[in-house]
C-alpha cells in the first residue's frame, strides 16, 4: 500500500475551507483506497471539526509537545491529539527544526508518539547538497539520534520521510531528481540495516517529500523507489491533490 500524506502546514485560514478540503481529500482517499493510504496532517485547531464532519478521513498532526508536563504554555500534548482521533504525527519536519526543535526534542516527540501507539512520520533531510557526500552524514546523524533505543518490535511503526530542505516549499532551489531520492532511500535502508537488520530495513516505509506535484509524483515512486509521498503545497489544492493521487495508483 502506497502512502500519500498531506501536510497542510499553517493553512487554510478558515474552518469552512478546512472542512471542504478535508471532504475532497477523503473523496480521493475513498476512490483509491485499495492501493493508497491517504493521511491528512492538519493544524490542531481543525482536528475536532474534521473528525466530526469527515469521520473516516485518517488524520495526523504536524508535531506535538516534547513532554507530558501540563505546565507547558502554548503546547499541545500527544494525549490531546490522540483523544481527538489523530493517528499520525509528523516529527522533525525541517520547518519545526528551523524554529528550534533540537535533535533531542525530535527524539522526545518520536518516543511519545510511539508510546501512545500512534504512527510517527519522522522527517530527515539535509539543508544542502555538497560534492563530498557530507549530506549523507547529516541524515545518518538525524536517524541515529531519533532511533536510539527504539526497540526492534516498535521500529516497524515508524514512517521515515526523506525531505531535502533545499527542495521544500516555495523557497526550494530546485526539485530533487528521482535518482537523488533513490540514492537516499537506499542509504536510509543501509543505516537501518546497521542499526537493526536487513529484514527490518527492507520492510521500513520510507516516503519522499519536497515540491511533489501531480507531474513528478509518480517518478519518485517508480524511479525514486519511495513508498509514498509527503505533500505540502499541492495538498491545499483539492483538484491538484486528486490528480496527484490518480497519477500514483
Ligand atoms: P512542499 O512541502 O510540498 O510544499 O514542498 C513539503 C513538506 O514540507 O512537507
Amino acid at each position: 500500500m502506497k502512502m500519500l500524506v498531506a501536510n497542510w502546514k499553517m493553512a487554510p485560514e478558515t474552518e469552512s475551507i478546512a472542512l471542504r478540503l478535508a471532504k475532497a481529500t477523503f473523496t480521493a482517499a475513498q476512490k483509491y483506497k485499495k492501493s493508497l493510504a491517504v493521511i491528512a496532517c492538519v493544524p490542531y485547531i481543525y482536528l475536532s471539526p474534521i473528525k466530526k464532519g469527515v469521520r473516516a478521513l485518517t488524520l495526523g498532526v504536524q508535531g506535538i509537545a516534547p513532554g507530558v508536563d501540563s505546565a507547558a504554555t502554548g503546547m499541545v500534548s500527544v494525549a490531546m491529539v490522540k483523544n481527538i482521533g489523530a493517528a499520525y504525527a509528523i516529527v522533525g519536519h525541517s520547518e519545526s527544526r528551523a524554529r528550534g526543535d533540537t535533535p533531542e526534542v525530535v527524539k522526545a516527540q518520536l518516543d511519545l508518539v510511539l508510546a501512545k501507539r500512534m504512527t510517527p512520520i519522522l522527517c530527515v533531510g539535509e539543508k544542502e547538497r555538497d560534492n563530498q557526500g557530507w549530506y549523507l552524514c547529516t541524515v545518518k546523524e538525524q536517524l541515529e539520534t531519533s532511533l536510539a533505543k527504539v526497540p526492534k518490535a516498535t521500529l516497524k511503526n515508524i514512517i521515515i520521510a526523506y525531505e531535502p530542505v533545499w527542495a521544500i516549499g516555495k523557497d526550494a532551489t530546485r526539485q530533487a531528481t528521482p535518482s537523488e531520492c533513490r540514492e537516499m532511500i537506499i542509504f536510509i535502508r543501509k543505516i537501518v540495516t546497521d542499526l537493526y537488520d536487513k529484514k527490518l530495513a527492507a520492510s521500513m516505509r520510507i516516503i519522499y517529500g519536497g515540491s511533489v506535484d501531480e507531474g513528478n509524483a509518480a517518478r519518485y515512486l517508480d524511479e525514486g523507489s519511495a513508498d509514498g509521498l509527503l505533500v505540502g503545497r499541492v495538498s491545499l489544492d483539492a483538484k491538484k491533490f486528486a490528480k496527484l493521487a490518480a497519477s500514483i495508483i
Side-chain angles (χ1 to χ4, degrees):
M1 183 77 95
K2 292 169 214 157
M3 310 201 55
L4 181 56
V5 184
N7 178 10
W8 289 6
K9 306 194 180 184
M10 200 172 73
E13 285 189 359
T14 70
E15 186 177 306
S16 59
I17 300 175
L19 276 169
R20 240 184 292 141
L21 190 56
K23 279 181 192 143
T25 305
F26 182 61
T27 304
Q30 277 298 91
K31 197 164 172 186
Y32 307 118
K33 68 177 179 201
K34 285 203 179 115
S35 55
L36 202 59
V38 176
I39 296 130
C41 293
V42 306
Y44 301 126
I45 199 163
Y46 300 137
L47 270 182
S48 213
I50 294 176
K51 200 70 214 168
K52 287 190 190 112
V54 196
R55 291 198 70 84
L57 177 63
T58 307
L59 289 175
V61 290
Q62 302 160 20
I64 49 140
V68 290
D69 183 352
S70 64
T73 303
M75 302 303 270
V76 171
S77 77
V78 67
M80 290 171 178
V81 300
K82 164 128 189 191
N83 289 335
I84 298 180
Y88 291 75
I90 295 174
V91 300
H93 191 282
S94 60
E95 288 157 9
S96 313
R97 292 185 195 259
R99 280 197 310 274
D101 281 5
T102 60
E104 292 70 31
V105 164
V106 176
K107 167 70 178 149
Q109 292 172 323
L110 181 95
D111 288 346
L112 285 169
V113 174
L114 287 171
K116 272 281 172 223
R117 297 184 187 283
M118 289 169 59
T119 304
I121 301 170
L122 170 66
C123 297
V124 295
E126 76 282 2
K127 286 200 185 112
E128 53 194 17
R129 286 242 164 173
D130 57 88
N131 294 330
Q132 286 81 38
W134 292 110
Y135 63 93
L136 296 168
C137 298
T138 307
V139 172
K140 182 171 186 268
E141 269 171 35
Q142 288 171 341
L143 282 170
E144 285 176 350
T145 313
S146 301
L147 299 180
K149 299 200 184 95
V150 172
K152 230 176 166 179
T154 317
L155 189 78
K156 62 177 186 317
N157 300 334
I158 300 175
I159 295 166
I160 296 177
Y162 171 50
E163 292 215 310
V165 183
W166 46 267
I168 293 177
K170 59 178 178 13
D171 297 328
T173 49
R174 65 175 175 87
Q175 291 179 5
T177 64
S179 63
E180 285 170 328
C181 168
R182 190 178 147 79
E183 175 203 56
M184 188 57 87
I185 289 178
I186 292 170
F187 181 69
I188 292 171
R189 291 202 199 281
K190 158 94 175 73
I191 302 295
V192 178
T193 304
D194 292 347
L195 293 173
Y196 296 87
D197 61 54
K198 210 169 163 183
K199 205 169 148 218
L200 259 182
S203 64
M204 192 101 210
R205 289 165 297 172
I206 308 178
I207 64 175
Y208 173 78
S211 296
V212 174
D213 60 30
E214 64 283 19
N216 62 20
R219 294 188 63 203
Y220 289 120
L221 301 185
D222 300 341
E223 297 161 47
S225 77
D227 297 316
L229 300 163
L230 179 51
V231 182
R233 282 158 297 162
V234 168
S235 70
L236 295 168
D237 181 323
K239 275 196 189 133
K240 285 187 183 172
F241 190 72
K243 265 194 189 167
L244 192 162
S247 79
I248 57 170
I249 50 146

